[in-house]
Amino acid sequence: MNTLKRLQQHEQAHGNSRIAVVGAGYVGTGVIQMLTTTPAVVVSLVIARDVSKGVSAYVSTGVKEADIVVSNDVAKLNKAIEQGKPAVTENIDVITELNVELVIEVTGAINYGSSAIMAALNSGKNVISYNAEADALLGWTFHSTASSNNVLYTIADGDQPGVMLRLQQEIEAMGFEATALINCKRHLNVHQNPESGTGYTARDKTSAKMTTSFGDGTKMQVENAVVANATGMLPIKRGMTGFKTTLEDVVEDMSPVLQDGRFVDYTWGGDFGAGVAAMGVHPQYPMHKKAMTLYKMGEGPNYFFFKAFHLVHLELPTTLQSILVDQEPLAQVTEPHVSEVIAIAKKPLAKGDELDGIGGFAAYGHIDTAAGADGFLPIGLLDYATLEKPVNIDSPIPLDSVSLDLSVGAVQLWLAQQQRWDRNRAFVKSVS
């Protein structure tokens, strides 16, 4: 039975699940629009730091502005939820007291987003996250907290990590072993910054920092870390290999490199568009070789499975089926992270230089194994670090060259996670 029918049946049996959406930017608005046409759910509340964006998101679905309850008062918000009235608040603290079953986090902000996720999980609510940046840093903590509270945490279908993991599930169901999960990029310049990337910002109508995080590759590195930590598949080296190739040549170009292991990697340029892919082999290769050749998949033994798109919020119903009907996350992180995305200086950095976060002027992110990342600053903590020592261009930023703002919740969660795993021992000891 397909996803739509399963959600329709779930609605008939259980009614609509009430949902709070945290974030009302481009993707958040898309999520809200998608939810209004999806069975078994109702958008009960939007939490947005800019209330006007939350209101606009509702209005874009046909709701009249006069019908929207805007308040920071928990009692008023819960009354609106019970009465089926759309509500908007800027008060993130209300999450713990909301009468909703599911929270969808769509901000991309690491500290704000992780605070929302943890509050929802600790108050007994399931969470769907589009926040790859927070997940790459704290995914294990989110899954552990969900388990402790007998609720579910999952990344979403539609974003690259979710699509890569679904593709892995699909080929494994056919008996193939996924030897690589692959992100596809069109443009890559690790030194791109918000000024040099203005043309892309204007073209895509996205924020300068978001556009930069795409162009300098940080977003893709973060996405692949999410996949690595969910699957145990490693980058072959810091930053991955990166294959400048085409659909016609990709198997020939990648096969000699991606052998004897299970890896995350990426292509760039070429004719892949905004797709994702998997490299796979079949244990019974001789048995299926003729069929795979007939089906235009090549001669093997390595096969390239390509999905030409990821549709972000439009693929949300699949995640809702997983959580509401099947009651299981898309993937789980039960072991310490196998990878980390570390901050690499985008320019020569001097003591006191501003570390302006993902998509800024100061640094780009590169995935590394947990061992390779030891002693270096995660890109997810860049916003909360102050540089105390100079760092050369294209060099990783050492943890002992920064001071962290220990009042920030995401910093506290990361330090606790490191202490639990007995990693970055000297640094954790120095700040505890």
Side-chain angles (χ1 to χ4, degrees):
M1 187 179 297
N2 66 33
T3 294
L4 179 60
K5 288 184 178 179
R6 295 189 74 191
L7 287 173
Q8 287 171 337
Q9 287 192 350
H10 187 80
E11 179 180 334
Q12 291 169 4
H14 305 285
N16 286 325
S17 294
R18 293 178 293 199
I19 293 180
V21 179
V22 182
Y26 172 75
V27 177
T29 297
V31 164
I32 293 161
Q33 293 168 343
M34 191 67 211
L35 290 170
T36 61
T37 60
T38 302
V41 294
V42 60
V43 184
S44 295
L45 180 81
V46 177
I47 303 174
R49 285 170 287 187
D50 182 345
V51 167
S52 66
K53 288 187 175 181
V55 171
S56 295
Y58 265 126
V59 169
S60 75
T61 68
V63 174
K64 294 180 181 179
E65 186 170 347
D67 294 334
I68 301 171
V69 175
V70 178
S71 177
N72 289 326
D73 182 80
V74 173
K76 289 181 180 179
L77 293 170
N78 276 328
K79 182 178 180 180
I81 291 170
E82 294 297 329
Q83 294 176 342
K85 295 180 179 179
V88 178
T89 185
E90 62 184 0
N91 183 9
I92 192 69
D93 295 330
V94 301
I95 281 184
T96 59
E97 300 178 70
L98 289 180
N99 293 328
V100 299
E101 294 86 47
L102 174 63
V103 172
I104 303 180
E105 204 287 319
V106 209
T107 67
I110 292 172
N111 187 54
Y112 183 87
S114 60
S115 296
I117 290 168
M118 291 295 286
L121 295 173
N122 280 319
S123 58
K125 299 170 180 63
N126 297 323
V127 173
I128 296 172
S129 172
Y130 283 87
N131 197 331
E133 292 83 357
D135 190 276
L137 186 74
L138 296 167
W140 179 88
T141 293
F142 298 153
H143 283 280
S144 177
T145 303
S147 179
S148 297
N149 289 282
N150 200 30
V151 292
L152 299 171
Y153 165 82
T154 187
I155 61 169
D157 289 90
D159 215 358
Q160 283 98 328
V163 181
M164 292 162 76
L165 291 167
R166 288 293 183 197
L167 183 57
Q168 179 189 15
Q169 293 172 5
E170 183 178 348
I171 70 170
E172 288 181 347
M174 293 186 283
F176 290 87
E177 296 175 358
T179 55
L181 295 177
I182 300 154
N183 214 324
C184 301
K185 278 196 62 61
R186 291 175 293 179
H187 159 80
L188 181 63
N189 172 14
V190 296
H191 298 123
Q192 182 176 316
N193 62 48
E195 287 182 356
S196 65
T198 52
Y200 297 109
T201 302
R203 181 195 69 186
D204 296 338
K205 295 181 174 60
T206 50
S207 71
K209 294 193 81 169
M210 180 183 292
T211 304
T212 301
S213 74
F214 298 157
D216 70 10
T218 300
K219 182 74 169 176
M220 177 265 296
Q221 301 274 342
V222 164
E223 291 164 350
N224 280 22
V226 171
V227 172
N229 294 331
T231 63
M233 301 172 85
L234 297 171
I236 204 165
K237 63 178 184 178
R238 178 176 291 167
M240 300 175 287
T241 301
F243 295 87
K244 195 172 190 301
T245 185
T246 64
L247 281 168
E248 182 178 359
D249 298 326
V250 65
V251 173
E252 183 179 351
D253 289 341
M254 296 184 78
S255 295
V257 180
L258 300 176
Q259 291 186 1
D260 302 321
R262 299 170 67 244
F263 302 104
V264 289
D265 221 300
Y266 69 98
T267 65
W268 64 284
D271 49 352
F272 301 93
V276 303
M279 191 78 81
V281 297
H282 203 292
Q284 285 80 43
Y285 161 66
M287 185 186 305
H288 299 291
K289 180 180 179 181
K290 181 179 179 180
M292 293 299 283
T293 303
L294 179 64
Y295 302 148
K296 309 298 187 293
M297 291 296 291
E299 295 294 323
N302 295 302
Y303 295 102
F304 188 76
F305 299 87
F306 177 61
K307 185 172 183 178
F309 58 88
H310 68 282
L311 302 181
V312 195
H313 58 274
L314 292 168
E315 298 184 53
L316 177 57
T318 306
T319 321
L320 292 169
Q321 176 193 306
S322 291
I323 296 300
L324 300 178
V325 182
D326 300 329
Q327 297 184 351
E328 63 178 21
L330 196 162
Q332 283 187 293
V333 179
T334 57
E335 299 295 327
H337 290 180
V338 300
S339 75
E340 188 82 75
V341 182
I342 60 174
I344 311 287
K346 197 177 280 190
K347 60 181 181 179
L349 297 173
K351 179 181 178 180
D353 280 356
E354 181 184 7
L355 300 178
D356 53 351
I358 293 173
F361 290 87
Y364 57 91
H366 267 180
I367 188 175
D368 206 339
T369 62
D374 191 73
F376 297 111
L377 177 70
I379 192 75
L381 298 183
L382 195 67
D383 261 327
Y384 321 117
T386 301
L387 193 63
E388 305 290 353
K389 301 175 184 177
V391 179
N392 294 328
I393 186 172
D394 294 322
S395 295
I397 300 176
L399 274 167
D400 63 10
S401 71
V402 303
S403 58
L404 293 177
D405 185 346
L406 301 181
S407 69
V408 173
V411 173
Q412 296 169 6
L413 290 171
W414 181 80
L415 288 170
Q417 192 173 255
Q418 296 300 293
Q419 192 168 35
R420 185 78 176 268
W421 298 340
D422 196 26
R423 291 182 182 170
N424 290 300
R425 202 174 305 166
F427 181 79
V428 172
K429 185 177 180 180
S430 73
V431 297
S432 57

